[in-house]
Amino acid sequence: MTGILIKEKISRIVWEYIVLTIGTFLYCVPWEWFIIPNNFSSGGVTGLLTLVQYATGGVIPVGTSYIVVNAILLIMAFMILGKSFGIRTIYCIALSSLLFEILPNFSQFFCVEGGYLFVPEKALIPMIAGLIEGVGLGLVLRFGGSTGGSDIFAMIMNKYWPISPGKFFLASDLVIIAMVLLLPGMTFSDMIYGYLMMIVSSVIVDYVVVGAKSSVQVLIFSDKSKEIAEQILQMDRGVTALKAVGCYKQQEKDVLITVVRRKGLHDITLMVKTIDPKAFVSVSSATSVYGEGFEEIKTGLSRKAKK
């Protein structure tokens, strides 16, 4: 039994690092193949470092400054987010630094005229880049890693307060993107392109990180509420019966209410339809669900209480 558990643990760790590798690759590609070749920029520390690269005429490339800045941020990750986060962060930052050095050598993939990924519509470039970056960064964050930079601060905030990573990035990146106007030759359009990438990336990050954990509240109106409730309990889900009176027939009946993950909604509705094809089911999104089986309540008070 112990051997099986060890193999499962090893398999899980290997899978996590495979996903972290894919996510890191997807995070670096849009910067080196889409954004930098077109002299664009966007938010986050990486966006700030691209501005440094432009301002120095390429003397300080992103790959070099990326290592220095994130070495400092790693100390914060170890102190606040723990060693497990730090190990994954070291791996992602090291891989990102390597990719930022390697990817520029594949100029045939640059999103410029003559490149394989060329897009003639200029406004689509930051949107495509934001989509790819959002998927990559979302995968990294979802598996407990970090590509360094502002997402470390986002993870710190999200640990104690219910602030989604996407919303944090949206707020912190506004100033960084606007700083592109400080560089000679940059225009208002360049800033707008940066905001386009930021918005798309923020939405995708939230979807990848939180989307799979989103929940729905289900109200079930049925004459066979007892049988349905028993089946819900057998599915290891909680359910509550609320007393209600139908206004048309003035009959008292139980209305069942349960909260499930969105991916489990199909099983619930299929079961209800099987037991009572005439049942009325109302489904609504539950943006914040806290308690056993869902998310932990984050108020920022627990850390202070321990002190």
Side-chain angles (χ1 to χ4, degrees):
M1 187 66 180
T2 304
I4 296 177
L5 293 176
I6 293 176
K7 289 182 179 179
E8 290 180 351
K9 183 177 181 180
I10 294 176
S11 298
R12 185 178 69 254
I13 293 175
V14 171
W15 168 247
E16 289 176 353
Y17 275 87
I18 289 176
V19 176
L20 288 174
T21 301
I22 295 173
T24 303
F25 177 78
L26 293 177
Y27 172 76
C28 296
V29 160
W31 286 100
E32 292 294 350
W33 289 357
F34 289 84
I35 299 303
I36 295 178
N38 288 281
N39 290 321
F40 291 159
S41 185
S42 191
V45 171
T46 306
L48 184 62
L49 298 180
T50 60
L51 297 181
V52 173
Q53 177 173 321
Y54 299 154
T56 59
V59 175
I60 305 178
V62 172
T64 301
S65 56
Y66 190 85
I67 299 176
V68 177
V69 171
N70 283 290
I72 299 173
L73 294 175
L74 272 175
I75 298 176
M76 297 177 59
F78 273 113
M79 294 176 61
I80 301 175
L81 300 174
K83 294 182 179 180
S84 60
F85 180 91
I87 293 174
R88 290 181 175 86
T89 300
I90 290 176
Y91 174 77
C92 292
I93 290 178
L95 181 59
S96 297
S97 301
L98 182 63
L99 290 172
F100 278 136
E101 294 291 339
I102 295 177
L103 291 177
N105 297 323
F106 295 88
S107 57
Q108 66 270 27
F109 292 105
F110 285 1
C111 184
V112 295
E113 189 171 357
Y116 291 146
L117 302 177
F118 174 61
V119 178
E121 295 79 7
K122 195 172 182 180
L124 290 179
I125 296 176
M127 297 176 68
I128 295 172
L131 174 63
I132 299 173
E133 183 200 44
V135 172
L137 185 55
L139 289 174
V140 171
L141 291 174
R142 183 172 174 180
F143 281 80
S146 167
T147 54
S150 58
D151 50 324
I152 290 182
F153 296 106
M155 292 292 287
I156 293 174
M157 295 289 289
N158 187 252
K159 182 176 181 179
Y160 301 111
W161 290 275
I163 301 176
S164 69
K167 291 178 181 178
F168 179 85
F169 296 146
L170 186 64
S172 64
D173 292 349
L174 291 175
V175 176
I176 294 177
I177 294 175
M179 290 175 63
V180 72
L181 297 176
L182 299 177
L183 297 179
M186 293 297 185
T187 65
F188 183 76
S189 296
D190 295 315
M191 182 180 70
I192 297 302
Y193 291 142
Y195 285 137
L196 278 176
M197 178 178 175
M198 176 198 69
I199 293 171
V200 173
S201 179
S202 298
V203 172
I204 299 300
V205 166
D206 266 357
Y207 181 81
V208 175
V209 176
V210 184
K213 296 182 179 180
S214 63
S215 304
V216 292
Q217 178 177 277
V218 184
L219 292 175
I220 304 170
F221 303 80
S222 172
D223 293 330
K224 299 181 180 180
S225 58
K226 184 176 181 181
E227 293 92 325
I228 294 175
E230 290 176 352
Q231 288 297 316
I232 294 177
L233 292 174
Q234 290 182 15
M235 297 169 69
D236 292 328
R237 299 308 320 166
V239 60
T240 300
L242 305 176
K243 294 296 182 181
V245 177
C247 293
Y248 181 69
K249 294 183 179 181
Q250 294 297 312
Q251 292 180 348
E252 185 176 294
K253 61 174 61 178
D254 289 337
V255 176
L256 303 179
I257 178 172
T258 183
V259 178
V260 298
R261 296 293 189 192
R262 189 174 295 276
K263 62 182 180 180
L265 176 61
H266 174 72
D267 295 333
I268 293 290
T269 54
L270 180 61
M271 178 271 295
V272 172
K273 182 179 180 180
T274 302
I275 296 177
D276 183 6
K278 296 183 179 180
F280 180 82
V281 179
S282 173
V283 180
S284 59
S285 297
T287 56
S288 299
V289 181
Y290 303 106
E292 186 176 354
F294 293 91
E295 302 301 314
E296 178 186 356
I297 297 178
K298 300 172 183 178
T299 63
L301 298 177
S302 58
R303 187 177 177 85
K304 296 179 180 178
K306 291 180 180 179
K307 290 183 178 180

